Amino acid sequence: MKKYIGIWALAILSACGSNTPGKVTISGTIENAIPQGEVVLERFEIGQASPVKTVYSDHEGNFSMDLELSEPGFYRLNIYGEQFETLVLDNENIKVKAAGKAGEFIEATGSDDMDNLKEVYAYLDTYQAKMQGINQRFLTAQSEGNQELMEELRVQALELETAKVDRLKKMAMSFESSLVSLLITNFISNKTDEFAFLDSLATKLQKEIPNSSDVQYFAENIEAFRPAVAMGEVAPDITMETPDGEMLSLSDLRGKYVLLDFWAAWCKPCRMENPNVVRMYEKYNDEGFEVFSVSLDRSKQQWIDAIEKDGLVWPYHVSDLKYFQSAAAITYKINAIPFALLLDPEGRVIGKNLRGRALEAKLASIFGE
């Protein structure tokens, strides 16, 4: 299996719980056996893996370990310090087959959770292969100066990412009483935009695994991702400097439809979307559409160069050059970019993260096409 467990999955893991204790046996065979080689089981807790059990393989590479569980949890199996496999343990025995060498096969089976994990990893492998293919085609088109194909591939990448998030959300909600649903949230980058899903998932898991400390920690901490402004609410005002030092405010644009766009020169997905925003601006600016761009750059020169290179011709560019510590990013709880809101003439939110064809369709409906 691939090792996709990451920052969010590690961060949600907390202290001990009080579920009914259960005994789990993890056993297996290692192809390239090291007699008396260490096989270590580690528990993920608050961003790190701590050893909880160590056994040694025999001359044939066989090993077995028993563990008393107080609750389901995320673990990692460390084989000879060469291979690592994420395990979700919940009172079901696990069988392992491994090569014992870095970069070679390892498989863990025997539980519903491991089946769920395998399903998630298989989908992510497919997604990554498709995205890699798009990226390779994009680089070729870029080297050939094929702007039309580059734009088509940008749209495809955005649609693939949207489809990935939708698929993962469905998986998370379909798994019954499984901590794998928590791991899935690690692959949804814009958690503020998906707060409703996270909240629903927390409610579901609290009912299914009520005594899980992992679920409790997750439920208690998702509030940080509640969006600063909901659909239909007036967006908080922003007042910042332009590259020329002029102070501009979002509220200056009352009376227009406004795309409030958080971006940065270093953000590849933002730069990929910029041509589409430029196209929409050129098409609808005379009809009352404006763009208010907030950069999360740290370098003023890189910010200015990106504006020029991407042809971002609208005058409303602001930044305090403080990265994600930007006052605007904090106000809007921005933890990932690109992030955009579409505002009506009264400054109310009528769309979130509309990109590519979705933005084009929304503006066409507003301006009567």
Side-chain angles (χ1 to χ4, degrees):
M1 276 188 194
K2 296 291 192 298
K3 309 304 175 291
Y4 289 104
I5 193 166
I7 296 171
W8 174 250
L10 296 179
I12 64 174
L13 301 174
S14 56
C16 59
S18 57
N19 278 9
T20 303
K23 183 178 180 180
V24 170
T25 298
I26 303 170
S27 59
T29 304
I30 305 166
E31 186 176 275
N32 297 284
I34 299 176
Q36 294 301 302
E38 284 192 343
V39 179
V40 183
L41 184 68
E42 303 166 315
R43 170 78 156 101
F44 282 119
E45 292 183 310
I46 315 300
Q48 64 181 0
S50 303
V52 296
K53 188 94 172 184
T54 300
V55 297
Y56 301 90
S57 62
D58 63 19
H59 285 75
E60 286 75 40
N62 300 309
F63 72 92
S64 182
M65 66 173 72
D66 295 326
L67 183 71
E68 290 288 342
L69 291 181
S70 61
E71 63 171 321
F74 289 99
Y75 291 79
R76 183 173 70 177
L77 193 63
N78 177 341
I79 299 176
Y80 301 160
E82 293 286 331
Q83 288 187 289
F84 302 87
E85 176 68 11
T86 300
L87 304 179
V88 182
L89 301 182
D90 185 13
N91 298 339
E92 292 181 275
N93 296 332
I94 302 296
K95 289 284 188 179
V96 176
K97 293 181 180 179
K101 290 185 177 181
E104 297 192 28
F105 77 91
I106 185 169
E107 182 179 16
T109 59
S111 71
D112 290 341
D113 282 323
M114 295 311 298
D115 289 343
N116 292 342
L117 202 56
K118 185 177 181 179
E119 181 181 348
V120 173
Y121 288 168
Y123 173 73
L124 289 172
D125 282 344
T126 300
Y127 160 80
Q128 289 190 338
K130 289 180 179 179
M131 188 61 80
Q132 185 177 9
I134 291 174
N135 287 337
Q136 289 174 344
R137 292 179 63 199
F138 183 87
L139 291 175
T140 300
Q142 189 176 47
S143 67
E144 297 172 350
N146 190 336
Q147 295 295 327
E148 183 177 351
L149 180 56
M150 288 168 63
E151 176 60 22
E152 179 183 333
L153 292 170
R154 288 188 186 100
V155 172
Q156 288 182 22
L158 290 169
E159 291 177 343
L160 182 60
E161 178 65 20
T162 299
K164 181 200 79 170
V165 173
D166 289 344
R167 176 70 177 274
L168 291 176
K169 285 161 59 177
K170 289 177 181 177
M171 282 186 184
M173 298 303 288
S174 69
F175 294 154
E176 294 293 332
S177 304
S178 178
L179 288 182
V180 177
S181 295
L182 293 188
L183 185 145
I184 283 177
T185 65
N186 189 55
F187 312 112
I188 298 176
S189 58
N190 197 335
K191 294 180 176 61
T192 299
D193 198 43
E194 297 295 342
F195 176 78
F197 158 71
L198 297 178
D199 194 35
S200 295
L201 181 61
T203 299
K204 175 181 184 292
L205 293 176
Q206 282 178 308
K207 292 178 180 178
E208 295 177 346
I209 321 175
N211 296 322
S212 167
S213 60
D214 295 340
V215 170
Q216 185 62 28
Y217 190 88
F218 173 79
E220 290 174 351
N221 286 273
I222 61 171
E223 190 63 27
F225 297 106
R226 184 182 291 277
V229 56
M231 291 287 288
E233 293 182 350
V234 175
D237 202 8
I238 296 172
T239 301
M240 284 184 178
E241 287 189 13
T242 68
D244 297 328
E246 179 185 356
M247 300 300 294
L248 292 180
S249 297
L250 178 61
S251 57
D252 294 339
L253 295 176
R254 289 289 192 270
K256 295 179 178 289
Y257 286 92
V258 179
L259 183 70
L260 173 57
D261 188 23
F262 288 85
W263 75 296
W266 48 262
C267 171
K268 185 176 180 180
C270 305
R271 303 291 296 274
M272 290 177 67
E273 173 65 6
N274 277 344
N276 183 59
V277 177
V278 170
R279 188 165 58 89
M280 294 299 96
Y281 178 80
E282 292 175 344
K283 186 172 184 178
Y284 294 115
N285 178 244
D286 290 342
E287 298 186 45
F289 175 62
E290 193 56 77
V291 181
F292 191 93
S293 294
V294 182
S295 165
L296 301 189
D297 279 297
R298 286 175 286 199
S299 165
K300 184 175 182 178
Q301 192 58 53
Q302 289 179 0
W303 174 33
I304 294 172
D305 289 346
I307 292 173
E308 181 178 354
K309 184 174 182 179
D310 291 3
L312 311 184
V313 295
W314 50 88
Y316 297 95
H317 289 278
V318 299
S319 181
D320 56 12
L321 301 175
K322 293 182 179 180
Y323 194 53
F324 282 96
Q325 286 70 49
S326 165
I330 292 172
T331 296
Y332 279 81
K333 296 184 178 181
I334 305 298
N335 53 64
I337 53 175
F339 178 79
L341 298 174
L342 184 63
L343 312 181
D344 70 8
E346 296 180 347
R348 299 184 184 280
V349 178
I350 58 172
K352 288 189 175 185
N353 276 334
L354 298 171
R355 290 184 281 172
R357 293 173 182 169
L359 176 62
E360 184 174 6
K362 182 67 173 181
L363 292 178
S365 69
I366 288 172
F367 294 110
E369 291 191 10

